[in-house]
Amino acid sequence: MDYIPDRITKDPGRSQDPYDDARLDVRTWPVEPGRYRLVAARACPWANRSIIVRRLLGLEDVISMGLAGPTHDERSWTFDLDPGGRDPVLGYERLQEAYLARYPDYDKGITVPAVVEVASGQVVTNDFPWITHDLFFEWRDHHRPDAPDLWPDDCRAEMEEVMERVFTEVNNGVYRCGFAGTQDAYDEAYDRLWTAMDWLEERLTDRRYLMGDHITEADVRLFTTLARFDAVYHGHFKCNRNKLTEMPALWGYARDLFQTPGFGDTIDFDQIKRHYYVVHEDINPSGIVPKGPERESWLSPHSRARLGPPR
């Protein structure tokens, strides 16, 4: 969780978010169409956030995107999906090259998503919560006309609380279960996760999205975990009290989002499963990737429209 803190902002050293400190104490880079490349991976839930937000806001022609393959070694994510195994814009075989181009002695994790300056080939930032935040606030001049308001003012304070609980108890909660080193640590993580999942089930019973009638950043953040739950976290991470498909409100909510342009079309279940079941050799030493669950159920009717208008 130790990331490069740089930000890309509309004004040098300042944020457009009224809830943010106006004067920033980190290095800022200018908003400039065509200057940056978002490097992500469909397998990674943290990177999946940035793929979804870029798509929802209509920034595809403003910020290009490179996709790493689902498996990697201890050194770096690789561009093995591209012809010749190189990113066609950056020319790199490994994302690590962008980090080392800026920090020759970089010794932290080579993570996705990462924003890379195309001309220099240097990483700008890999601070994933701020990447999606700034795509909304700092790149507004380049959003599509009907882009959703992912950070609405009228529920901002509550949304921050919801996102914090989702992050600590669900997004990170499944990892605490999966990588627990003792039975006691696992038991505690498991109980915390399912307390939060039950809270979400109740919250989503009578509201279409986490904050009400419209999609927000909070929904993006929860969706990427839910999309991986039955395919990976239920078995691989031992989060097995029940499946997502056995929670009526959460399952309907997840399908509602999946069937919304910008969400389901960013999900590749084969890549997701290959990433977790192949890379995590300590958890799955055989490297066997399960065939299920099937994808078709994600396209079944969800009946969530009765709870509010889509957006």
Side-chain angles (χ1 to χ4, degrees):
M1 301 298 291
D2 186 8
Y3 300 107
I4 301 167
D6 294 19
R7 305 266 298 273
I8 298 174
T9 60
K10 180 179 178 181
D11 297 325
R14 300 186 70 86
S15 172
Q16 300 299 307
D17 179 1
Y19 278 72
D20 202 0
D21 293 331
R23 178 61 63 179
L24 303 177
D25 60 359
V26 299
R27 178 180 176 181
T28 61
W29 301 61
V31 167
E32 185 179 320
R35 180 168 179 169
Y36 307 102
R37 187 161 178 81
L38 173 67
V39 178
R42 295 192 187 278
C44 172
W46 317 107
N48 197 176
R49 290 185 187 183
S50 61
I51 299 173
I52 292 171
V53 170
R54 172 179 174 269
R55 172 88 159 78
L56 292 176
L57 300 178
L59 293 172
E60 294 97 325
D61 295 332
V62 178
I63 304 171
S64 69
M65 184 170 70
L67 291 173
T71 59
H72 59 78
D73 56 23
E74 68 280 359
R75 289 174 58 194
S76 177
W77 295 84
T78 60
F79 296 104
D80 52 321
L81 300 177
D82 293 304
R86 290 183 179 274
D87 179 88
V89 172
L90 301 173
Y92 290 153
E93 291 182 339
R94 293 176 172 271
L95 178 57
Q96 182 186 47
E97 296 173 64
Y99 283 74
L100 296 180
R102 183 173 175 192
Y103 302 106
D105 298 323
Y106 192 82
D107 60 358
K108 303 173 185 177
I110 308 298
T111 62
V112 289
V115 178
V116 178
E117 184 182 42
V118 174
S120 67
Q122 296 183 0
V123 65
V124 172
T125 181
N126 63 340
D127 200 341
F128 68 92
W130 288 111
I131 288 175
T132 54
H133 172 281
D134 291 342
L135 287 178
F136 179 77
F137 284 102
E138 307 300 330
W139 292 81
R140 272 179 161 167
D141 291 345
H142 306 283
H143 291 180
R144 60 182 174 85
D146 58 345
D149 183 1
L150 297 179
W151 294 78
D153 288 337
D154 61 357
C155 61
R156 178 65 182 274
E158 182 187 6
M159 189 175 87
E160 295 277 9
E161 294 176 0
V162 169
M163 291 194 300
E164 178 64 19
R165 187 170 183 182
V166 166
F167 174 68
T168 59
E169 304 304 297
V170 180
N171 300 146
N172 267 351
V174 294
Y175 282 86
R176 274 197 301 270
C177 290
F179 290 107
T182 66
Q183 186 68 50
D184 287 345
Y186 166 74
D187 289 347
E188 179 183 358
Y190 180 95
D191 291 342
R192 285 178 61 180
L193 169 67
W194 285 108
T195 296
M197 292 288 279
D198 287 339
W199 163 70
L200 289 167
E201 176 73 8
E202 181 178 358
R203 183 180 182 91
L204 290 164
T205 296
D206 59 1
R207 64 179 77 197
R208 186 165 185 181
Y209 305 113
L210 282 174
M211 304 313 302
D213 292 341
H214 303 295
I215 291 170
T216 66
E217 171 89 7
D219 299 298
V220 175
R221 296 183 179 199
L222 177 57
F223 172 78
T224 59
T225 296
L226 297 184
R228 290 158 175 77
F229 200 88
D230 286 4
V232 175
Y233 304 143
H234 178 271
H236 185 59
F237 278 178
K238 306 179 184 70
C239 302
N240 62 350
R241 191 192 75 179
N242 48 262
K243 297 177 181 177
L244 178 66
T245 55
E246 296 166 346
M247 304 188 77
L250 271 170
W251 175 227
Y253 164 82
R255 280 179 291 152
D256 190 1
L257 290 176
F258 187 89
Q259 294 169 33
T260 300
F263 285 86
D265 49 16
T266 72
I267 298 296
D268 187 315
F269 288 113
D270 289 336
Q271 289 194 34
I272 287 170
K273 289 186 294 184
R274 285 174 58 203
H275 170 67
Y276 286 93
Y277 287 101
V278 173
V279 172
H280 297 164
E281 295 178 350
D282 52 339
I283 299 177
N284 186 43
S286 71
I288 294 173
V289 179
K291 295 181 69 174
E294 45 76 32
R295 180 180 182 275
E296 287 68 27
S297 60
W298 283 90
L299 303 176
S300 63
H302 52 74
S303 303
R304 299 281 295 178
R306 60 183 171 78
L307 298 175
R311 181 173 176 183

